[in-house]
């Protein structure tokens, strides 16, 4: 679905601000799954030594050549903005040559299309019954192919032919990606998982205001209420006017529903403090999957938000202000609290220039009781690689993924040919790409150690973003204020440290529904999401009573929610 301009504008800012740690990155969802790992990420060429695997299958050479060579068909999309040089085409380039030279795989594309046309063209291909050997698919297309019995089981090929690095990266999300591609005990596709940890919401607090008003950092929801009162009533900016806001919200309301225009503000964090998990699927007391937004804990959180709004602790006009307006409120020095993602300091540079004393700190989510809050996270996988049932060499897709993650001899395959040369993104030519689901957590750990020991050699040489972060943090500590944003994200006490603590202590709550939208979701969800957003906004702004939440729940079920819940239950049973 089309995203709102506020989100697009915001992400364009981030694209320039966050080099981070991926050597290659993409935005072609149909082709690259939104992100790509480094083509220079790890293992040296594996030996051909055979060993016994846990499944009893013989370990094969992950980089061995198919002999005699084979021709395999594929389809794909490629963004029209991708550039070529030196006579390269999508059909003939360094990656197609690598596949042929190293693996004995001659790649033949049945068709190549623009990403916007991929779904339609692939649907036609599915209907024709003439599937290619290797195919990038969305979650919905994967489910359709599974239901039709058209896919090859990749369980054994991955076990036998997967390189150590490939298996490591596929396991780094705790097995979520592989589980989402497993049906009836069979692995029917390879997932591209950019990770979900960075979708966790944190509490961001203006700490210079806390110090000025002699307030402690918030630990509970009651603390949030009291701090918001002080930020509104006690003149934290010292201008003698009552012109500051306590808790920041925006009209998008949530931060985890892109089609609704999600951005900086992510009020999920407020709900999570009440152990409520809107717009994701959770297990109820009986173990059944239920939609988080219709659970009673949500009503409790809405009542508190309504109270804060009524008392003027939330901007009266938040319902018509998008995330960009919220950023402006921060940069103009008018806001003191909000819930948001880990990257937000990177868009506060203007505010720091206007007021060098302005300081923001991320904090773990406070809780309404003694039970710690769990930030909710979303299922981020939009891309899979599947193999046609009956294809003679299903291991080929595994070898191609190995190739993407391998450190190739630069004398034979220079980075300027298989990774990037200036603004020519040659990694995009690869048919099969991968991702590191914990790339920012990895960067935090590496950079932390390097800064503690002041040893840049401790950084990952395969992650070119890490030196950028390392330098920014060191420069900030030496007085260069331009490094403040990276410091608040990656340094000790920063956002990634908090997310890492959550991650290592099972403190994140991932949605229980880890699959593509069901048929009823595709048909009904836009209407239901609009109903939810409008109802919750009205409740918070006092345009509807808190008890109207009960009417919302009944309407949600009647207008398609029950059908969606039934499909989710069917999916859960199939796992």
């Amino acid at each position: 679905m089309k995203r709102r301009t506020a989100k697009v504008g915001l992400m364009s800012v981030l694209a320039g601000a966050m080099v981070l740690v991926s050597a290659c990155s993409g935005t072609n969802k149909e082709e690259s799954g939104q992100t790509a790992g480094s083509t220079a990420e790890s293992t040296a060429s594996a030996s051909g030594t055979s060993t016994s695997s846990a499944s009893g299958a013989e370990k094969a050479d992950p980089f061995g050549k198919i002999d005699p060579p084979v021709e395999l068909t594929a389809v794909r999309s490629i963004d029209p903005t991708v550039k070529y040089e030196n006579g390269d085409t999508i059909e003939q380039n360094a990656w197609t040559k690598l596949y042929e030279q190293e693996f004995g795989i001659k790649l033949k594309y049945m068709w190549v299309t623009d990403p916007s046309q991929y779904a339609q063209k692939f649907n036609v291909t599915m209907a024709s019954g003439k599937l290619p050997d290797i195919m990038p698919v969305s979650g919905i297309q994967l489910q359709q192919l599974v239901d039709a019995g058209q896919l090859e089981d990749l369980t054994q090929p991955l076990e036998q032919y997967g390189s150590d690095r490939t298996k490591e990266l596929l396991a780094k999300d705790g097995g979520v990606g592989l589980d989402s591609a497993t049906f009836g005990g069979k692995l029917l596709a390879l997932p591209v998982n950019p990770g979900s940890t960075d979708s966790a919401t944190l509490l961001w607090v203006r700490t210079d205001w806390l110090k000025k008003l002699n307030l402690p950092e918030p630990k509970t929801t009651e603390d949030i209420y009291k701090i918001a009162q002080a930020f509104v009533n006690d003149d934290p900016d010292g201008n003698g006017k009552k012109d500051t806001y306590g808790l920041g919200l925006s009209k998008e309301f949530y931060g985890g529903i892109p089609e609704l225009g999600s951005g900086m503000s992510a009020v999920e964090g407020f709900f999570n403090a009440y152990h409520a998990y809107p717009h994701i699927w959770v297990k109820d007391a009986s173990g059944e999957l239920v939609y988080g937004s219709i659970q009673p804990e949500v009503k409790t959180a809405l009542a508190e938000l309504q109270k804060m709004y009524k008392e003027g602790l939330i901007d009266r006009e938040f319902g018509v202000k998008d995330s960009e307006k919220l950023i402006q409120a921060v940069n103009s020095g008018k806001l003191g609290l909000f819930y948001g993602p880990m990257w937000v300091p990177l868009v506060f540079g203007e505010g720091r220039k206007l007021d060098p004393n302005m300081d923001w700190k991320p904090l773990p989510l406070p809780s309404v009781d003694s039970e710690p809050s769990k930030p909710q996270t979303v299922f981020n996988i939009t891309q899979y690689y599947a193999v046609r049932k009956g294809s003679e060499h299903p291991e080929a897709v595994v070898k191609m993924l190995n190739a993407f993650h391998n450190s190739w001899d630069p004398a034979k395959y220079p980075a300027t040919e298989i990774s990037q040369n200036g603004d020519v993104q040659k990694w995009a030519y690869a048919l099969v790409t991968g991702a590191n689901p914990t790339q920012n957590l990895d960067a935090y750990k590496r950079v932390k150690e390097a800064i503690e020991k002041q040893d840049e050699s401790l950084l990952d040489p395969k992650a070119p973003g890490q030196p950028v972060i390392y330098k920014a943090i060191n420069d900030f500590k030496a007085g260069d204020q331009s490094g403040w944003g990276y410091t608040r994200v990656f340094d000790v006490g920063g956002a990634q440290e908090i997310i890492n603590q959550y991650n290592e202590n099972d403190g994140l709550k991932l949605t229980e529904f880890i699959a593509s939208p069901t048929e009823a979701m595709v048909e009904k969800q836009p209407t239901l999401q609009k109903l939810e957003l409008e109802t919750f906004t009205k409740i918070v702004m006092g345009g509807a009573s808190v008890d109207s939440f009960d009417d919302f729940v009944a309407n949600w079920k009647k207008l398609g929610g029950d059908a969606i819940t039934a499909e989710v239950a069917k999916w859960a049973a199939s796992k």
Side-chain angles (χ1 to χ4, degrees):
M1 296 183 185
K2 186 177 180 180
R3 303 187 179 200
R4 299 189 183 186
T5 54
K7 177 66 172 178
V8 174
L10 182 57
M11 296 314 295
S12 68
V13 172
L14 294 179
M18 295 188 76
V19 179
L20 297 186
V21 299
S22 178
C24 319
S25 64
T27 56
N28 178 353
K29 291 185 182 180
E30 290 289 353
E31 211 297 306
S32 68
Q34 291 186 305
T35 188
S38 170
T39 59
E41 267 196 305
S42 78
T43 57
S45 294
S47 69
T49 306
S50 296
T51 58
S52 177
S53 73
S55 65
E58 187 178 79
K59 177 70 174 177
D61 184 356
F63 298 90
K65 195 169 186 177
I66 298 173
D67 189 20
V70 295
E71 181 178 273
L72 297 179
T73 57
V75 296
R76 68 172 296 167
S77 67
I78 189 74
D79 197 287
T81 62
V82 170
K83 299 179 181 179
Y84 302 91
E85 62 182 5
N86 303 325
D88 281 346
T89 65
I90 196 58
E91 290 83 9
Q92 293 292 328
N93 53 69
W95 279 100
T96 57
K97 294 172 185 175
L98 186 153
Y99 295 152
E100 189 165 3
Q101 293 172 359
E102 300 297 327
F103 301 128
I105 299 171
K106 182 174 178 59
L107 196 57
K108 180 182 179 181
Y109 287 117
M110 291 170 54
W111 50 260
V112 178
T113 189
D114 181 284
S116 64
Q117 302 298 315
Y118 185 83
Q120 180 180 0
K121 197 167 182 66
F122 189 78
N123 289 341
V124 173
T125 298
M126 282 195 292
S128 74
K130 297 179 181 179
L131 295 172
D133 291 296
I134 300 172
M135 43 199 154
V137 295
S138 67
I140 293 175
Q141 292 160 345
L142 173 62
Q143 185 67 59
Q144 291 171 333
L145 290 166
V146 170
D147 292 342
Q150 294 296 308
L151 299 182
E152 191 69 29
D153 184 359
L154 300 179
T155 308
Q156 186 169 314
L158 178 60
E159 176 62 30
Q160 284 188 273
Y161 293 92
S163 69
D164 291 342
R165 181 58 171 168
T166 289
K167 291 179 179 179
E168 175 194 359
L169 290 172
L170 288 173
K172 287 185 78 174
D173 62 1
V176 170
L178 291 174
D179 185 43
S180 74
T182 300
F183 300 84
K186 296 180 180 180
L187 179 66
L188 298 180
L190 299 179
V192 182
N193 190 0
S196 64
T197 59
D198 286 341
S199 67
T201 299
L202 304 176
L203 174 65
W204 290 89
V205 182
R206 186 157 172 179
T207 50
D208 59 311
W209 283 7
L210 288 181
K211 292 176 183 176
K212 182 175 181 180
L213 301 179
N214 196 29
L215 296 170
E217 293 180 353
K219 304 291 185 184
T220 67
T221 54
E222 181 64 21
D223 293 338
I224 294 293
Y225 174 70
K226 291 178 179 179
I227 289 171
Q229 282 184 315
F231 283 176
V232 169
N233 299 317
D234 296 346
D235 193 24
D237 60 353
N239 68 354
K241 300 177 181 179
K242 191 175 179 180
D243 59 354
T244 50
Y245 305 120
L247 179 64
L249 299 183
S250 68
K251 69 176 184 179
E252 298 96 347
F253 210 66
Y254 296 133
I257 306 182
E259 56 266 38
L260 291 182
S262 59
M264 187 184 89
S265 174
V267 77
E268 294 97 317
F270 187 93
F271 285 92
N272 296 163
Y274 291 82
H275 315 303
Y277 303 97
H279 76 78
I280 67 170
W281 290 81
V282 296
K283 287 184 179 179
D284 64 11
S286 66
E288 298 296 320
L289 297 192
V290 293
Y291 186 54
S293 295
I294 64 171
Q295 305 311 306
E297 294 83 1
V298 170
K299 184 177 181 179
T300 304
L302 285 171
E304 183 65 18
L305 283 172
Q306 186 186 74
K307 173 186 173 183
M308 294 179 72
Y309 181 86
K310 184 177 181 179
E311 295 183 12
L313 308 185
I314 297 171
D315 182 1
R316 296 284 187 183
E317 299 179 349
F318 87 85
V320 294
K321 292 182 177 180
D322 60 22
S323 283
E324 289 180 351
K325 294 293 185 183
L326 198 63
I327 293 172
Q328 291 173 17
V330 171
N331 284 330
S332 63
K334 300 303 179 185
L335 184 65
L337 286 165
F338 69 91
Y339 293 86
M342 61 92 185
W343 46 258
V344 292
L346 296 173
V347 294
F348 294 165
E350 181 182 339
R352 291 274 299 175
K353 290 178 181 178
L354 292 172
D355 181 5
N357 293 318
M358 184 184 83
D359 205 1
W360 288 85
K361 181 179 180 179
L363 295 172
L365 299 184
S367 176
V368 70
D369 52 30
S370 59
E371 181 184 347
S373 299
K374 281 192 169 187
Q376 66 187 71
T377 57
V378 299
F379 178 67
N380 252 350
I381 301 176
T382 61
Q383 179 79 10
Y384 297 85
Y385 294 100
V387 174
R388 172 183 59 82
K389 189 174 184 64
S391 180
E392 293 184 10
H393 293 279
E395 76 277 9
V397 71
V398 177
K399 287 177 176 285
M400 289 180 178
L401 185 55
N402 294 343
F404 191 78
H405 291 311
N406 189 47
S407 294
W408 293 100
D409 180 355
K412 190 173 184 181
Y413 299 109
T416 53
E417 290 299 314
I418 63 172
S419 182
Q420 189 150 339
N421 186 27
D423 63 347
V424 184
Q425 298 176 327
K426 299 190 176 184
W427 62 267
Y429 305 164
L431 171 62
V432 178
T433 61
N436 178 355
T438 61
Q439 62 175 356
N440 285 331
L441 292 180
D442 293 351
Y444 154 71
K445 294 173 184 177
R446 287 286 194 123
V447 170
K448 176 185 176 184
E449 184 181 11
I451 288 176
E452 287 174 348
K453 299 179 179 179
Q454 283 300 294
D455 184 357
E456 193 169 357
S457 70
L458 296 173
L459 302 176
D460 185 351
K462 300 172 290 296
Q466 290 185 17
V468 175
I469 299 166
Y470 175 83
K471 182 178 185 304
I473 294 175
N474 271 329
D475 288 351
F476 175 72
K477 292 180 176 181
D480 183 350
Q481 295 300 304
S482 65
W484 175 82
Y486 279 116
T487 300
R488 289 296 175 266
V489 176
F490 287 100
D491 198 16
V492 174
Q496 286 297 327
E497 180 177 69
I498 297 172
I499 293 174
N500 184 60
Q501 291 170 352
Y502 276 126
N503 192 52
E504 291 187 345
N505 293 286
D506 192 29
L508 298 172
K509 194 172 187 69
L510 176 69
T511 179
E512 295 286 344
F513 182 67
I514 52 171
S516 63
T518 66
E519 286 186 20
M521 284 180 184
V522 172
E523 180 183 356
K524 305 292 187 180
Q525 197 155 265
T527 298
L528 295 177
Q529 287 177 341
K530 183 179 180 182
L531 173 67
E532 179 176 334
L533 182 63
E534 290 177 348
T535 302
F536 288 9
T537 301
K538 277 186 179 181
I539 290 174
V540 174
M541 298 182 75
S545 72
V546 175
D547 287 336
S548 67
F549 173 80
D550 301 326
D551 296 329
F552 157 73
V553 173
N555 288 329
W556 184 88
K557 292 181 176 181
K558 182 173 61 176
L559 296 175
D562 281 344
I564 292 174
T565 302
E567 289 181 341
V568 170
K570 181 180 178 182
W571 166 84
S574 75
K575 306 302 286 184

